Amino acid sequence: MTPVLLLTDALIWLLVLLVLAYARSVWRNPLSRASWSLVFESSIATASAVVLLVAVGIALLDSVHFRVTAEQQTKYGVPIVSALDLSVGPLAYQREKSYSAPLATHGLSKETLQVDGKPVRDYPRLKFGGAHLKHVSDQAQDLALRAYAGVLKGGLFWLVLLVALWTIRRAATGGAASVSVFTGSVAYKTLVWTLLLVCVGGCVISQWAQVYHVLGTDKVGVDVLYSALKSLRTAMLIGLLTTLLTLPVGVALGLAAGYFGGWVDDIIQYVYTTLNSIPSVLLIAATVLMLQVALDANPDAFASAIEKADLRLFFLCAILGLTSWTGLARLLRGEVLKLRDQDYVLAAKASGVSHVGVLFRHLLPNLMHLILITMVMDFSGLVLAEAVLSYVGVGVDPSMYSYGTMINAARLELSREPMVWWALAAAFVFMLLLVLSANLFADAVRDAFDPRARQLKQSLIRV
């Protein structure tokens, strides 16, 4: 295998480096460190952060790609695979004929089978799901044994994580011997038990997924759990990469409009007012369709369909960024209008500090809490926007895994008899966990970084 760097891979790893640089600056700044410590004093925020970190880890694992050799291509069926495909093993390439229910051993539809030389209409055994069972009646016992093994493995992994947490806490307290693994604040206890649920649940599902389709299969026999895990990368890219592309434009124009005023403010207001007047769905649909025509006209420009779909995903992020920076720019403009007449800004101007210095040394640090809160709160909206756009056919490439394409495919499956509900349920549960965790974490960030919100919440609690 040879490593392959897709465009979105490079951008998501660049975003990781930026986050690490920001974390380093927070660690060296006592005020920022104190604000983030307020975030993780919340039990809900701590549990949400664990869920988000698991999702980010899966997305990063799926952002390391390799080009397979001819021998491996017969196994995976595509010239480019990710580290996630290699780590999940059979889930990536084991395909059934068509639909099968969660943890099923037989297909969903009857077929004509040869039994003792006679044609019989019956449900066929799956090629991979439960194929190791000699008798279908042994399935319940097999599931129980595999769940027991998963609990043991998950508990062992959880203990390893607890030892790592204990080591970190002991180092942070200067090597205090009284630091206990299980005692601490309510948020720390929430972290411990959330990690237990994640470790045990993940290991049990992993044990089952080795020989069963835990969430069933779709119309073409692809494992639904595998599709849901692969869709996490698309959701995280839409939410994070769009923010990366939006942030510089929104911050720069918002600062310039509020600080300089006059004709600069008029032009910037005219630009974002015009963009807000255009229906975003129509703008995105027109741009994506024009891009698709250009891609179809140049099929030789891409070595594989994955690279073509990746370019479409990048342009979708860029288009969403083009239509979503206006809210941040308007918010920052209003705040800069209030801050530019403060004494410290006037003193900096009187001292001969340049406009760039005033903007980035004095105004921008006082607006970072608003930028951070806006970024975190916009994430969930962008994830939902991708699902809606893919549902109406103007989102990601149909060959790419995403929750929108899963929901779009499940739309027709609900009218079948028997009804195929598990693909829609899987997309719903995964999106619910991701968006709910992001929203709860965003609430904690807002309370910690916005003093007015924190004071209002404390006053309501006292009442």
Side-chain angles (χ1 to χ4, degrees):
M1 290 188 182
T2 56
V4 176
L5 185 64
L6 302 178
L7 180 59
T8 54
D9 292 344
L11 291 174
I12 197 171
W13 286 108
L14 174 61
L15 185 60
V16 170
L17 293 177
L18 293 176
V19 170
L20 293 177
Y22 174 71
R24 182 172 178 269
S25 66
V26 168
W27 182 258
R28 301 174 69 178
N29 189 336
L31 293 177
S32 298
R33 196 162 65 244
S35 297
W36 276 106
S37 65
L38 291 176
V39 174
F40 291 101
E41 285 181 0
S42 169
S43 301
I44 296 178
T46 304
S48 301
V50 173
V51 175
L52 291 175
L53 285 176
V54 171
V56 169
I58 295 173
L60 292 179
L61 198 63
D62 201 22
S63 298
V64 179
H65 287 92
F66 304 92
R67 193 179 302 277
V68 301
T69 61
E71 296 178 356
Q72 295 163 329
Q73 186 171 343
T74 59
K75 179 179 180 180
Y76 289 95
V78 290
I80 295 179
V81 297
S82 68
L84 179 65
D85 297 329
L86 301 177
S87 61
V88 297
L91 283 182
Y93 57 87
Q94 289 184 352
R95 301 285 189 269
E96 305 293 346
K97 288 184 179 180
S98 187
Y99 298 111
S100 65
L103 296 174
T105 57
H106 291 75
L108 190 67
S109 302
K110 288 186 176 181
E111 296 180 4
T112 301
L113 306 175
Q114 293 293 328
V115 179
D116 297 330
K118 298 180 180 179
V120 177
R121 295 285 296 177
D122 199 358
Y123 298 101
R125 283 290 297 267
L126 298 177
K127 291 173 59 179
F128 303 102
H132 66 293
L133 297 174
K134 293 183 179 180
H135 303 286
V136 178
S137 58
D138 298 333
Q139 182 184 13
Q141 181 181 4
D142 184 65
L143 287 173
L145 290 175
R146 291 182 176 274
Y148 178 71
V151 170
L152 292 180
K153 290 182 179 179
L156 181 61
F157 188 50
W158 176 62
L159 291 176
V160 173
L161 291 178
L162 286 188
V163 172
L165 283 176
W166 177 80
T167 304
I168 294 173
R169 291 181 67 202
R170 193 167 183 271
T173 56
S178 60
V179 175
S180 175
V181 176
F182 296 100
T183 59
S185 63
V186 177
Y188 174 76
K189 293 178 181 179
T190 303
L191 172 64
V192 169
W193 298 118
T194 304
L195 287 175
L196 175 62
L197 291 176
V198 171
C199 292
V200 172
C203 288
V204 169
I205 292 175
S206 175
Q207 289 292 114
W208 285 345
Q210 293 177 8
V211 290
Y212 295 99
H213 300 291
V214 179
L215 298 180
T217 56
D218 60 12
K219 184 177 181 180
V220 295
V222 177
D223 191 277
V224 174
L225 176 60
Y226 173 71
S227 299
L229 293 176
K230 294 283 286 185
S231 299
L232 275 175
R233 178 180 183 268
T234 304
M236 299 299 291
L237 275 173
I238 292 290
L240 298 176
L241 190 55
T242 303
T243 303
L244 176 64
L245 299 174
T246 301
L247 198 60
V249 179
V251 171
L253 294 183
L255 288 175
Y259 180 75
F260 294 107
W263 63 270
V264 176
D265 187 21
D266 292 338
I267 292 175
I268 293 175
Q269 284 194 76
Y270 176 78
V271 171
Y272 68 60
T273 302
T274 303
L275 279 176
N276 284 337
S277 302
I278 303 174
S280 58
V281 175
L282 295 180
L283 178 62
I284 294 170
T287 310
V288 169
L289 291 175
M290 289 189 295
L291 173 66
Q292 188 62 40
V293 170
L295 294 178
D296 293 339
N298 300 277
D300 298 332
F302 306 96
S304 65
I306 294 179
E307 293 169 308
K308 179 181 176 180
D310 184 76
L311 183 62
R312 175 168 171 171
L313 175 61
F314 169 75
F315 275 101
L316 178 61
C317 294
I319 297 164
L320 286 172
L322 178 65
T323 58
S324 60
W325 64 267
T326 56
L328 177 60
R330 180 177 291 171
L331 176 64
L332 294 181
R333 173 185 174 272
E335 290 296 319
V336 173
L337 286 174
K338 295 187 296 184
L339 295 177
R340 68 179 184 179
D341 294 326
Q342 295 293 321
D343 293 339
Y344 66 91
V345 177
L346 297 177
K349 290 181 181 178
S351 301
V353 179
S354 64
H355 293 311
V356 176
V358 172
L359 285 172
F360 291 98
R361 275 196 233 159
H362 298 281
L363 290 178
L364 185 59
N366 289 284
L367 298 172
M368 283 304 297
H369 67 286
L370 292 176
I371 297 173
L372 186 62
I373 293 169
T374 304
M375 286 173 55
V376 178
M377 297 190 71
D378 284 349
F379 171 82
S380 57
L382 291 169
V383 172
L384 295 174
E386 180 275 325
V388 173
L389 292 172
S390 298
Y391 176 76
V392 299
V394 294
V396 300
D397 191 89
S399 63
M400 179 169 282
Y401 293 98
S402 77
Y403 296 121
T405 55
M406 289 180 66
I407 294 172
N408 189 26
R411 175 171 54 92
L412 300 177
E413 295 172 353
L414 294 177
S415 60
R416 282 179 50 91
E417 181 60 39
M419 183 176 65
V420 179
W421 53 268
W422 44 88
L424 181 63
F428 171 78
V429 171
F430 273 78
M431 285 189 66
L432 175 65
L433 289 175
L434 183 61
V435 174
L436 180 61
S437 300
N439 286 338
L440 293 175
F441 189 73
D443 289 341
V445 171
R446 181 192 58 199
D447 294 341
F449 283 82
D450 191 349
R452 289 171 296 183
R454 187 165 62 248
Q455 292 171 2
L456 178 60
K457 185 175 181 179
Q458 290 174 352
S459 64
L460 291 176
I461 292 175
R462 286 195 295 269
V463 172

